[in-house]
């Protein structure tokens, strides 16, 4: 409608203005105390047909396609940023939350939906499955740069990165049980294990192959490497989905492998994917905002049932799922309470809520509107208070050190050399030493040190301190050796 009225040029102008608006919203979301995704959704609702009427959009299939592609991009970026050393320590509880936790949450919310709505038990459980998983896009966005305790952040990120497959499986399974008369829940169990196994195996294989290809294939332009890496994310999802596996799990696993490998043009790849993930978030949440019609959303039925289900989800189902899923695991009561509160809902439930509409289920539109209301409630209430709850429970960690200086990190492909960044901490053996005391290869040069946002020109007598950012020009063949020297830990003192 917008294109027909104003032409393609005006549509391009609108796209540019919306992206600018999205960037400004992201800039000021923390100051407003609101997660940026809520503001992106509100922008979509404002420019939609029930708002200013600038854009009319009601294509559920298009929204579903955009949502899935955007989730692949966001999951890939989040997985690449996740440190395996941190995730490894919380792998078991995260997997338990991603499987049993989703089951418990879906069951409690689904039974409540069955009692509230005039639907069958299977339809109620379908609703529970749709809102059963936390959302990677919401969790990654809210936790980014917040000083949450590392263990808590790793648990939530690993859970949100791996629980989408469970929610997708349950949603599709209940749609099949409702639509096909002869289907039974037991016939779907083998399918679950097949999907998870294929997702894990193919994710590992594609991640290893991608790391090898990124390091061995010499491309003419450095700008091609980030695109090359993103292509493997799409490959991981599509190949796994075509073979009957969980594409989302494959993407996250592949990203973990790639992100924790030594890569040529590592920083270019990371920066490109971070920027592209932000663009995917802006586009996805605005499209989802366009898809909802406020006149249908803010009715007494949707508001009352949405509030009841939100209360059950946030204060009953999620805490019960966390406590039951982490029985016997080394989490304190405060940590369990925080994980319970930080179970944000976001794009995944909204995208999954489009599946019943596409399948032409009787209550598909009702479910979509209520799910949308629950997501808004969850992100507004939980997303805006995560930092406060962490402080109240004494679960804040050290402030995240993100370098804001402008030294450009480069890879000199044809010279087989790279400028790489290392950050020191008090546990490293090199802290307190002078540069000439380091056993670095002759071809390695520490070109700059940034300390407390100030640039220091290094020379032989310069002493390295905890928190320094070291910028090192190193031949690619010595990169691994230098990494081992820099990351060597202090030896414990002998008493």
């Amino acid at each position: 409608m917008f294109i027909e009225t104003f032409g393609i040029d005006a549509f391009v102008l609108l796209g540019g203005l919306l992206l600018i608006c999205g960037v400004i919203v992201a800039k000021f979301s923390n100051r407003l105390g609101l997660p940026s995704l809520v503001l992106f959704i509100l922008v979509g609702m404002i420019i939609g047909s029930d708002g200013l009427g600038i854009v009319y959009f009601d294509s559920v299939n298009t929204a579903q396609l955009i949502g899935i592609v955007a989730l692949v991009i966001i999951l890939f970026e989040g997985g690449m940023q996740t440190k395996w050393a941190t995730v490894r320590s919380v792998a078991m509880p995260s997997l338990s939350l991603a499987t049993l936790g989703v089951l418990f949450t879906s069951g409690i919310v689904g039974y409540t939906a069955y009692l509230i709505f005039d639907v069958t038990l299977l339809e109620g459980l379908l609703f529970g499955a749709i809102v059963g998983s936390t959302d990677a896009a919401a969790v990654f966005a809210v936790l980014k740069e917040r000083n949450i305790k590392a263990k808590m952040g790793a648990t939530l990120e690993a859970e949100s990165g791996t629980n989408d497959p469970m929610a997708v499986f349950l949603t599709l399974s209940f749609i099949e049980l409702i639509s096909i008369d002869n289907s039974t829940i037991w016939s779907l169990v083998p399918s679950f294990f097949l999907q998870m196994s294929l997702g894990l195996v193919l994710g590992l294989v594609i991640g290893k192959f991608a790391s090898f290809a990124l390091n061995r294939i010499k491309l003419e332009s450095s700008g091609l490497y980030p695109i090359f890496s993103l292509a493997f994310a799409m490959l991981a999802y599509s190949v796994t989905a075509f073979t009957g596996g969980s594409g989302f799990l494959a993407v996250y696993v592949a990203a973990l492998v790639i992100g924790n490998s030594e890569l040529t043009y590592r920083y270019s790849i990371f920066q490109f994917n971070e920027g592209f993930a932000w663009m995917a978030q802006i586009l996805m949440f605005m499209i989802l905002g366009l898809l909802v019609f406020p006149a249908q959303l803010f009715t007494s039925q949707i508001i009352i049932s949405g509030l009841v289900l939100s209360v059950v989800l946030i204060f009953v189902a999620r805490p019960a799922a966390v406590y039951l899923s982490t029985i016997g695991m080394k989490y304190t009561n405060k940590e369990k309470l925080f994980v319970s509160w930080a179970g944000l809902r976001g794009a995944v439930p909204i995208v999954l809520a489009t599946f019943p509409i596409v399948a032409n289920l009787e209550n598909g539109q009702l479910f979509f509107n209520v799910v949308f209301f629950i997501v808004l409630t969850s992100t507004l209430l939980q997303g805006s208070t995560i930092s406060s709850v962490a402080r109240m429970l004494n679960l804040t960690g050290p402030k995240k050190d993100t370098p804001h200086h402008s030294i450009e990190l480069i890879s000199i492909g044809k010279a087989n050399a790279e400028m790489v960044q290392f950050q020191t901490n008090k546990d490293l053996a090199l802290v307190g030493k002078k540069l000439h005391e380091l056993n670095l290869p002759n071809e390695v040069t520490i070109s700059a040190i940034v300390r407390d946002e100030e640039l220091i020109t290094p020379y032989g007598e310069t002493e390295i301190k905890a928190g320094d950012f070291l910028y090192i020009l190193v031949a690619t063949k010595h990169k691994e050796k230098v990494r081992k020297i820099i990351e060597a830990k202090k030896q414990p003192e002998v008493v």
Side-chain angles (χ1 to χ4, degrees):
M1 180 178 179
F2 184 83
I3 297 178
E4 294 173 356
T5 305
F6 297 101
I8 293 176
D9 293 342
F11 183 79
V12 174
L13 173 62
L14 176 64
L17 291 174
L18 288 178
L19 285 176
I20 291 171
C21 182
V23 172
I24 294 172
V25 162
K27 169 69 176 176
F28 291 102
S29 61
N30 282 339
R31 296 183 184 181
L32 295 173
L34 294 172
S36 55
L37 63 92
V38 175
L39 300 179
F40 296 151
I41 288 174
L42 291 178
V43 169
M45 294 172 68
I46 289 170
I47 67 173
S49 56
D50 274 2
L52 299 177
I54 297 174
V55 178
Y56 181 86
F57 180 81
D58 64 353
S59 175
V60 176
N61 289 289
T62 302
Q64 189 180 97
L65 173 62
I66 292 172
I68 289 174
V69 173
L71 285 173
V72 168
I73 295 167
I74 294 164
L75 267 178
F76 186 67
E77 192 270 338
M80 288 189 69
Q81 296 284 355
T82 303
K83 302 297 183 185
W84 173 243
T86 306
V87 171
R88 182 169 50 195
S89 61
V90 296
M92 283 305 297
S94 297
L95 288 174
S96 181
L97 287 166
T99 52
L100 295 177
V102 174
L103 275 175
F104 293 138
T105 303
S106 300
I108 295 170
V109 175
Y111 188 72
T112 307
Y114 162 68
L115 296 177
I116 292 176
F117 301 123
D118 185 21
V119 296
T120 65
L121 180 58
L122 279 178
E123 289 177 311
L125 292 175
L126 169 61
F127 182 89
I130 292 171
V131 297
S133 71
T134 59
D135 181 62
V139 171
F140 291 155
V142 170
L143 293 184
K144 189 170 288 186
E145 295 188 1
R146 280 177 167 81
N147 56 330
I148 306 298
K149 193 176 178 182
K151 179 182 177 183
M152 296 296 93
T155 301
L156 292 167
E157 290 183 358
E159 176 201 5
S160 65
T162 55
N163 68 3
D164 293 346
M166 187 68 174
V168 172
F169 169 77
L170 289 175
T171 300
L172 295 178
S173 296
F174 282 119
I175 289 175
E176 182 178 332
L177 289 172
I178 294 168
S179 305
I180 303 174
D181 294 334
N182 296 327
S183 297
T184 64
I185 191 67
W186 301 113
S187 65
L188 301 173
V189 174
S191 175
F192 169 75
F193 287 104
L194 176 64
Q195 288 187 34
M196 298 303 111
S197 299
L198 284 173
L200 179 62
V201 172
L202 290 176
L204 286 170
V205 171
I206 293 174
K208 288 288 186 182
F209 178 73
S211 301
F212 175 82
L214 286 165
N215 285 324
R216 295 303 179 93
I217 297 177
K218 301 298 181 183
L219 301 175
E220 291 301 316
S221 171
S222 61
L224 291 173
Y225 285 92
I227 299 173
F228 198 29
S229 69
L230 187 61
F232 285 108
M234 301 298 179
L235 183 70
Y237 177 85
S238 56
V239 168
T240 308
F242 279 135
T243 56
S246 171
F248 287 128
L249 180 59
V251 169
Y252 187 72
V253 171
L256 270 177
V257 174
I258 296 169
N260 287 275
S261 303
E262 291 294 331
L263 296 176
T264 303
Y265 293 95
R266 179 182 186 86
Y267 296 98
S268 298
I269 292 171
F270 274 54
Q271 288 167 0
F272 172 87
N273 280 296
E274 183 179 12
F276 204 48
W278 270 111
M279 191 171 74
Q281 283 190 56
I282 293 170
L283 177 63
M284 174 177 63
F285 286 116
M286 285 187 179
I287 289 294
L288 294 176
L290 285 171
L291 190 62
V292 71
F293 290 79
Q296 298 177 11
L297 181 65
F298 298 111
T299 63
S300 58
Q301 180 192 17
I302 300 299
I303 292 173
I304 293 171
S305 57
L307 284 174
V308 171
L309 287 165
S310 294
V311 169
V312 171
L313 172 63
I314 295 170
F315 296 101
V316 180
R318 172 66 178 178
V322 170
Y323 275 80
L324 289 170
S325 302
T326 56
I327 291 175
M329 299 180 187
K330 297 179 180 179
Y331 281 77
T332 65
N333 191 52
K334 288 184 176 181
E335 290 173 338
K336 291 179 181 179
L337 284 173
F338 179 75
V339 173
S340 300
W341 186 253
L344 298 176
R345 269 60 190 174
V348 171
I350 299 176
V351 172
L352 290 180
T354 64
F355 283 68
I357 299 177
V358 174
N360 293 317
L361 295 189
E362 180 182 356
N363 294 295
Q365 189 62 51
L366 171 66
F367 284 2
F368 178 85
N369 289 332
V370 177
V371 167
F372 199 98
F373 188 89
I374 290 173
V375 168
L376 285 179
T377 306
S378 171
T379 49
L380 282 170
L381 179 60
Q382 295 170 282
S384 60
T385 57
I386 279 184
S387 295
S388 301
V389 172
R391 286 194 296 271
M392 185 176 65
L393 296 174
N394 196 27
L395 292 175
T396 54
K399 186 177 179 180
K400 292 186 178 180
D401 287 315
T402 304
H404 299 292
H405 28 82
S406 60
I407 295 178
E408 186 69 21
L409 300 172
I410 59 174
S411 291
I412 310 168
K414 293 183 179 180
N416 291 320
E418 296 182 50
M419 178 75 80
V420 295
Q421 171 194 288
F422 288 102
Q423 184 185 11
T424 63
N425 61 64
K426 60 183 177 60
D427 298 323
L428 299 181
L430 57 74
V431 171
K433 291 185 178 181
K434 296 179 179 179
L435 292 188
H436 69 81
E437 296 174 336
L438 302 180
N439 187 28
L440 294 174
N442 293 329
E443 298 92 337
V444 175
T445 302
I446 297 181
S447 302
I449 297 176
V450 175
R451 180 180 299 159
D452 298 326
E453 300 300 327
E454 291 186 5
L455 178 65
I456 296 173
T457 302
Y459 63 100
E461 294 297 317
T462 302
E463 182 180 327
I464 298 174
K465 297 184 178 180
D468 285 352
F469 288 95
L470 308 180
Y471 289 86
I472 305 173
L473 184 61
V474 55
T476 304
K477 63 181 179 180
H478 293 310
K479 188 176 176 181
E480 183 63 21
K481 182 178 180 180
V482 170
R483 185 187 66 80
K484 289 180 180 179
I485 294 172
I486 298 296
E487 296 180 353
K489 302 290 184 182
K490 287 181 179 178
Q491 295 296 322
E493 297 182 3
V494 179
V495 181

